[in-house]
Amino acid sequence: LVFDFGIMASVLDPKQKEEFLRLPNYVNFMVFLLTSIIVSSVLTFLWQMLDIMIPNESSFLQLERRRQDWQRHHLFKSTGADEQDLAPTRLSRGSSSEHTNFRNLPDSSELC
């Protein structure tokens, strides 16, 4: 963050502006440092609050995951699978080449 103290001094009355500009350099540096710390702390706090308020998953994604969990539950229950089989399955990288491409299989119209 860059602060221009000339703008800050222009907000002051002419008498206060002269007093501000006559301050020693170390006082101006301390004012700049304190202002920078305060502004960066406030911006960091706002950033963290927005991060808390905005969820990582959209409501659509949460709905789809619940729907898929429900479908998986009913599918496994209808086949008599155990509760341990209800864990979500994920593909690892590079394993997609090992799976069958069902697009190449004949469909029901071609079988007749």
Side-chain angles (χ1 to χ4, degrees):
L1 296 172
V2 177
F3 296 99
D4 184 10
F5 286 110
I7 293 173
M8 189 169 100
S10 66
V11 175
L12 303 173
D13 293 335
K15 186 176 180 181
Q16 292 173 340
K17 180 180 176 180
E18 290 176 14
E19 291 176 10
F20 178 76
L21 293 176
R22 275 192 255 141
L23 292 174
N25 286 339
Y26 70 91
V27 174
N28 283 337
F29 176 75
M30 293 303 289
V31 168
F32 174 74
L33 185 64
L34 184 64
T35 307
S36 300
I37 290 172
I38 290 172
V39 168
S40 63
S41 297
V42 168
L43 290 176
T44 304
F45 175 74
L46 290 174
W47 176 26
Q48 293 299 320
M49 290 307 295
L50 283 174
D51 189 38
I52 291 171
M53 291 172 21
I54 299 173
N56 292 336
E57 296 179 348
S58 66
S59 59
F60 177 74
L61 181 60
Q62 291 173 354
L63 179 67
E64 282 298 307
R65 286 195 176 165
R66 278 189 304 221
R67 184 187 62 78
Q68 289 176 2
D69 288 341
W70 183 81
Q71 284 179 344
R72 189 180 306 115
H73 175 74
H74 283 283
L75 174 67
F76 285 146
K77 284 297 181 183
S78 66
T79 59
D82 295 339
E83 283 290 325
Q84 297 168 351
D85 295 336
L86 294 176
T89 56
R90 300 195 187 276
L91 290 176
S92 61
R93 290 184 181 249
S95 66
S96 61
S97 62
E98 301 168 6
H99 296 287
T100 305
N101 186 359
F102 292 105
R103 186 181 297 181
N104 299 332
L105 295 177
D107 56 348
S108 59
S109 64
E110 295 174 6
L111 293 176
C112 295

